[in-house]
């Protein structure tokens, strides 16, 4: 897409509206509705139905995000992850984790809070029952990283920003990612999620490969999920 077509007012407006709808889809989290019902005593038949609905909602959300990215994204989703990409992923994760540790310590000192509202909500769902925990693990480790990278990195950075922009899409992607995950007024929890978003956006921009940012997101969520489960045992 050339520069003049990219900044065409009506087309840009359409892309912004699509992103807002994608953002609301993630923020509202309709996939968690059946999870909430599963926390109540139900028959085996109802549990199976609710589990299927949970996966169907996730598949639908990922499908919507995928087709939106395919229409407006600039990069090929078929590109493989290289060895150098994996080194990039590990370095980005370590740096992000170090920054997260510093921000968590500042949150404890300033607000006397160690767990964000988003994390507490996930822990509550993980601890409700075994079936819910299994479904949540699939969501946290697999579906959410794919969905969120398609929206916050793939669609946002490609559909709303021209390739000539370098740092602005990274900053906007990180800030909106932080807003979507932080449910309280603790600035440090917001910055924790925002800096993760910054690293994911930076990795995507540098590699032009959405699979790389998805892999980094999966790694981050996998380790977080393991730590949350260990805390609940």
């Amino acid at each position: 897409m050339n520069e003049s077509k990219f900044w065409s007012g009506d087309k840009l407006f359409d892309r912004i509206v699509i992103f807002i709808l994608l953002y609301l889809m993630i923020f509202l989290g309709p996939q968690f509705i059946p999870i909430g019902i599963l926390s109540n005593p139900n028959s085996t038949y109802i549990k199976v139905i609710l589990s299927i609905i949970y996966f169907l909602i996730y598949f639908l959300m990922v499908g919507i995000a995928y087709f939106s990215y395919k229409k407006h994204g600039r990069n090929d989703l078929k590109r493989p992850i290289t060895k150098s990409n994996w080194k990039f992923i590990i370095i980005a994760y370590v740096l992000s984790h170090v920054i997260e540790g510093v921000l968590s310590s500042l949150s404890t000192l300033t607000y006397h809070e160690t767990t964000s509202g988003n994390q507490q909500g996930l822990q509550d769902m993980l601890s409700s029952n075994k079936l819910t925990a299994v479904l949540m693990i699939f969501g946290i480790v697999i579906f959410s990283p794919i969905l969120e990278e398609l929206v916050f990195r793939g669609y946002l950075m490609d559909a709303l920003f021209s390739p000539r922009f370098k740092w602005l899409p990274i900053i906007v992607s990180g800030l909106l990612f932080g807003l979507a995950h932080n449910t309280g007024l603790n600035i440090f929890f917001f910055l924790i999620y925002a800096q993760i978003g910054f690293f994911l956006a930076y990795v995507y921009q540098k590699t032009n490969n959405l699979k790389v940012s998805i892999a980094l997101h999966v790694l981050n969520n996998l380790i977080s999920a393991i730590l949350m489960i260990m805390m609940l045992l």
Side-chain angles (χ1 to χ4, degrees):
M1 184 185 298
N2 62 45
E3 197 75 7
S4 60
K5 288 185 178 180
F6 184 90
W7 293 113
S8 174
D10 55 340
K11 293 182 179 179
L12 180 59
F13 177 78
D14 290 343
R15 296 196 300 270
I16 292 173
V17 170
I18 291 172
F19 174 75
I20 292 172
L21 293 175
L22 291 172
Y23 183 92
L24 289 174
M25 179 179 71
I26 291 177
F27 185 79
L28 295 175
Q31 72 274 27
F32 296 122
I33 295 175
I35 291 290
I37 300 173
L38 274 172
S39 62
N40 301 317
N42 293 293
S43 66
T44 301
Y45 176 76
I46 296 298
K47 289 179 180 179
V48 171
I49 296 298
L50 289 172
S51 299
I52 292 173
I53 293 174
Y54 170 77
F55 284 115
L56 286 177
I57 294 174
Y58 248 131
F59 285 139
L60 178 61
M61 293 170 70
V62 170
I64 292 171
Y66 173 78
F67 285 112
S68 298
Y69 177 76
K70 284 285 287 183
K71 184 176 181 180
H72 298 288
R74 291 191 295 265
N75 297 304
D76 185 3
L77 291 173
K78 296 180 180 180
R79 292 180 59 189
I81 301 177
T82 65
K83 289 183 179 179
S84 60
N85 289 156
W86 281 112
K87 293 179 182 178
F88 201 15
I89 289 168
I90 298 302
I91 292 172
Y93 173 77
V94 171
L95 291 175
S96 175
H97 192 67
V98 169
I99 295 173
E100 181 179 343
V102 173
L103 292 171
S104 295
S105 298
L106 291 173
S107 172
T108 302
L109 291 172
T110 307
Y111 294 96
H112 306 292
E113 295 178 349
T114 58
T115 305
S116 68
N118 180 71
Q119 187 176 18
Q120 186 60 55
L122 293 176
Q123 289 178 351
D124 291 341
M125 284 186 278
L126 282 171
S127 62
S128 59
N129 58 65
K130 291 182 179 180
L131 177 58
T132 298
V134 171
L135 295 176
M136 285 297 299
I137 293 300
F138 274 102
I140 294 171
V141 178
I142 300 175
F143 296 119
S144 284
I146 296 174
L147 173 63
E148 292 175 359
E149 290 313 299
L150 283 167
V151 174
F152 286 104
R153 255 59 65 180
Y155 189 86
L156 171 63
M157 295 178 68
D158 286 1
L160 302 188
F161 293 94
S162 167
R164 65 188 177 88
F165 288 101
K166 299 302 180 183
W167 287 104
L168 183 59
I170 293 175
I171 294 170
V172 172
S173 176
L175 291 176
L176 290 178
F177 187 75
L179 285 174
H181 289 78
N182 186 46
T183 58
L185 299 176
N186 186 326
I187 184 63
F188 296 109
F189 287 147
F190 165 73
L191 291 175
I192 285 173
Y193 289 109
Q195 63 88 23
I196 294 172
F198 294 148
F199 276 102
L200 290 166
Y202 181 79
V203 164
Y204 176 59
Q205 188 184 82
K206 286 298 181 181
T207 62
N208 293 314
N209 188 346
L210 197 65
K211 289 180 180 178
V212 179
S213 64
I214 289 174
L216 174 57
H217 203 149
V218 168
L219 176 63
N220 180 79
N221 285 17
L222 174 61
I223 294 176
S224 296
I226 291 173
L227 293 175
M228 282 191 286
I229 291 172
M230 291 176 62
M231 291 172 60
L232 295 172
L233 295 177

